[in-house]
Each structure stands twice: as C-alpha cells, then as structure tokens.
Amino acid sequence: MSKPTTGDFTKTEGWLDWYEGPSKPRFELPAGAVDAHCHVFGPGEQFPYAPQRKYTPCDASADQLFALRDQLGFERNVIVQATCHGADNSAMVDALRRSNGKARGVATVRPDVTEAELQELHEAGVRGVRFNFVKRLVDAVPTDALGTIVEKIAPLGWHVVIYFEADDLPDLYDFFSSIPTTVVVDHMGRPDVTKDVDGPEFGLFLKFMRENPNVWSKVSCPERLSATGPKALQGEQQAYRDVVPFARRVVEEFPERVLWGTDWPHPNLKDHMPDDGLLVDFIPSIAPTEELQHQLLVDNPMRLYWPEEELGEQAAELGKPNDEERHGVGDDVGQA
C-alpha cells in the first residue's frame, strides 16, 4: 500500500516507500543496542520539506520510527537530519524531545548558525552535524564554510558526520583529515563492492582510518551498496554477501570506531526496499563474535552519544568498596 506524503507536496515519481510490517529478527540484539543511523521525514503537513530538496519522500514519523525500534529490539536511536528537510531540524528535534531520552540527533546547520541556536539543539539531544558531499543530493558547499561550523560546534563537544562516495575521497582526503573533531563516515564512504576489497580504492579508505584515529565509520546500508545481493526480502538469511568482506574488514580492524544503523526509512533506494528485520539479521555476518557485536551496537554508540551515562557508570564503579574495605581487612593492622 502506498504511503502518503501529507501537506502541499507530491511524492517523487517512483519513490520506494519503507517496508510495511518488518519481520522479527532472528538475531537477538544485545541489551542496550542502538540504531545509530535513521531518519524521520515530516509528516509534511506538520514539518514541511525544504524548498531546495532534491527529493520528496513519503512521510515517516517519529511514532513510526519508535515502533520500528521496539519491533526490532533496539533500545535507542540516533536520528540523522535528512537532506529533504535542509537545515530546518524541526522534525528531527521534535522526535528527540518525544523519545524520553532514548534518542540523540545529528543536525544540519548553516555557517551563520548562532551560539543560542546550537545550545537549543544541544539541549534537545543533538550531538553532531552532518556534511553531505554526495553531489546528487546537495549543491556544492565550500569547505571553508564547513570549517566555520566546526569551530562553532567545538565548545559543545560535538562530532562531524561526513557522507561521500568513494570516487570523491582522493580529492577530499586532506580536508577530511584536517577536521579536528571526531569524524564519523556514513556507510564506509560508499565503496564499489564490485571491486576488490584489497584493491586501491577501498585501501585508501582503510588508510584514511588508520592515519586518522579520530575517524569512525558506519558499516551500514548494505542494501544501498550491494550489486549482487541477495536482497533482504522473503526471509533471506544470507543477504548482501558482496558487502560482507568490506564491512567485516572495517569492524575487525577498527572495533572501537564502528557504528551500525538501519538507515530507515531508506531514502532514495531505486532497486528494492529491504525488510528491516532481515537487515538486523545481517549484523552477525560482519560482526561475528559477541564482543564485536557489543562494541558495534552498544559500547561505541553509547560512548559517542551518551558519554554522560558512560562516565556515570565509571564513577559508580570507582565508588564501590574493594574486597578489603568490604571485609575490614587492613583496618587494624597488627592488632590481632
């Protein structure tokens, strides 16, 4: 059934709507798992789409996102500002405020953003900004303008998310390497998975991560990267085999700097719309051990987006008495 686009908007011709009634994953997510890359679209009648947008989606509300979260077994979300909303973060911020602390956000801002506006976003739960370099989705943005934004967000401790395609990395390598914050790359820089995982193109991305310890990567969106599948539909448990070597390489080499997310509601897919439950079942193929799964889905996103909880747990551990204190050993040394 076609999903609506409300308000005075017409959905992009051929738009693939998000999957209705996703399956319950066979893979049991670890407690505290975070869907670290997802979006909300509108609803258009409440949160209008940007005039300069490159596409008009079907609506995908916060309530629908949170229902998916619960269906799949995640406990939290990281909601990334969608390009169809431009720099108007209202829909994303509304979702954060309604999440009861279970969501954090990544915003899009302009160079003239004020300190007060950034503070308001921070209080809502925003912890990063996204720079989009995919030419079909945004107009070119001067790197000096992005440098201005980085300076403004630095006092808040925010990080930068960058979205680009593999062909663009050689030209942007030095600029990306100069960003002084934590940098999170969307979808492994969109590698061409028809090429050799040990070849020079993906090798440059791995080199980028090795040379820049502040760089993290999302190992997400196999449905967007796959060329040969199989697709995550009709119960398929071996989906997107061609993407596995690339994502697994990143997870195993950089286990403390990887994130994973559904990318719901999967904007701009052209070939098929995946069953999100089967996407979750893809995770063990790229993070094959419980330790790697916990780092990917819990430890890393919590450290990046909810560091105050991580610090609180560490403080609680430090405050616990050790065995000697609990049993009084050493209190009256020599007085036996």
Side-chain angles (χ1 to χ4, degrees):
M1 184 176 70
S2 179
K3 296 179 176 60
T5 301
T6 57
D8 189 21
F9 300 101
T10 301
K11 188 163 49 177
T12 295
E13 185 177 356
W15 183 264
L16 294 181
D17 295 343
W18 44 272
Y19 191 89
E20 186 75 38
S23 60
K24 192 74 175 177
R26 296 184 188 180
F27 171 57
E28 185 175 348
L29 292 163
V34 180
D35 177 354
H37 187 95
C38 51
H39 312 278
V40 289
F41 296 157
E45 62 185 359
Q46 184 179 3
F47 301 107
Y49 299 112
Q52 72 274 22
R53 67 192 180 280
K54 303 295 185 182
Y55 62 88
T56 304
C58 66
D59 293 342
S61 70
D63 288 341
Q64 290 164 329
L65 173 62
F66 298 152
L68 178 74
R69 175 198 67 198
D70 297 342
Q71 165 72 6
L72 299 181
F74 288 99
E75 292 191 18
R76 308 185 192 220
N77 301 98
V78 178
I79 305 173
V80 178
Q81 174 73 352
T83 60
C84 60
H85 280 293
D88 180 354
N89 296 282
S90 301
M92 183 266 293
V93 166
D94 174 73
L96 297 183
R97 288 175 171 156
R98 294 169 53 201
S99 74
N100 296 318
K102 291 185 177 182
R104 291 285 187 259
V106 175
T108 296
V109 299
R110 299 188 179 93
D112 61 355
V113 65
T114 67
E115 182 179 340
E117 289 169 333
L118 290 174
Q119 187 60 44
E120 183 178 357
L121 290 171
H122 187 83
E123 291 172 0
V126 171
R127 294 297 181 267
V129 293
R130 191 187 199 202
F131 296 155
N132 194 323
F133 294 86
V134 177
K135 296 180 179 66
R136 57 190 162 73
L137 295 177
V138 294
D139 296 323
V141 180
T143 54
D144 57 348
L146 304 185
T148 300
I149 294 171
V150 170
E151 289 179 5
K152 289 185 175 184
I153 66 170
L156 295 168
W158 290 7
H159 63 277
V160 166
V161 176
I162 51 176
Y163 187 28
F164 62 90
E165 297 184 307
D167 287 347
D168 298 319
L169 182 56
D171 291 337
L172 293 166
Y173 192 101
D174 290 341
F175 171 67
F176 290 160
S177 297
S178 72
I179 299 174
T181 66
T182 295
V183 175
V184 180
V185 178
D186 278 344
H187 322 322
M188 300 181 289
R190 291 187 61 102
D192 181 346
V193 300
T194 66
K195 297 181 178 179
D196 187 351
V197 69
D198 295 312
E201 184 177 272
F202 196 60
L204 182 65
F205 177 71
L206 296 174
K207 177 175 180 281
F208 175 55
M209 289 198 68
R210 291 180 191 127
E211 291 186 346
N212 296 281
N214 62 313
V215 173
W216 297 36
S217 178
K218 295 174 189 172
V219 288
S220 46
C221 284
E223 73 282 7
R224 198 174 293 280
L225 302 175
S226 180
T228 60
K231 301 169 185 177
L233 291 169
Q234 299 178 333
E236 177 61 60
Q237 287 294 304
Q238 299 297 320
Y240 311 125
R241 293 297 92 187
D242 51 346
V243 181
V244 170
F246 294 83
R248 187 162 174 170
R249 177 72 60 85
V250 177
V251 169
E252 291 183 338
E253 183 167 349
F254 311 102
E256 296 181 349
R257 291 190 274 145
V258 286
L259 302 167
W260 189 90
T262 59
D263 194 36
W264 188 89
H266 311 285
N268 287 301
L269 286 183
K270 306 299 183 187
D271 178 68
H272 71 288
M273 182 57 60
D275 175 338
D276 292 281
L278 297 177
L279 282 183
V280 172
D281 287 336
F282 173 80
I283 294 171
S285 66
I286 64 172
T289 69
E290 288 186 7
E291 181 180 5
L292 288 172
Q293 292 161 10
H294 204 274
Q295 286 178 290
L296 176 66
L297 299 167
V298 183
D299 297 341
N300 297 344
M302 289 299 295
R303 192 168 80 250
L304 189 60
Y305 289 99
W306 286 269
E308 69 281 0
E309 293 192 27
E310 292 286 285
L311 291 172
E313 290 177 4
Q314 292 173 16
E317 286 296 320
L318 290 172
K320 290 181 179 179
N322 60 33
D323 287 341
E324 291 188 356
E325 290 171 331
R326 279 195 294 269
H327 297 293
V329 176
D331 284 346
D332 295 306
V333 177
Q335 296 186 23

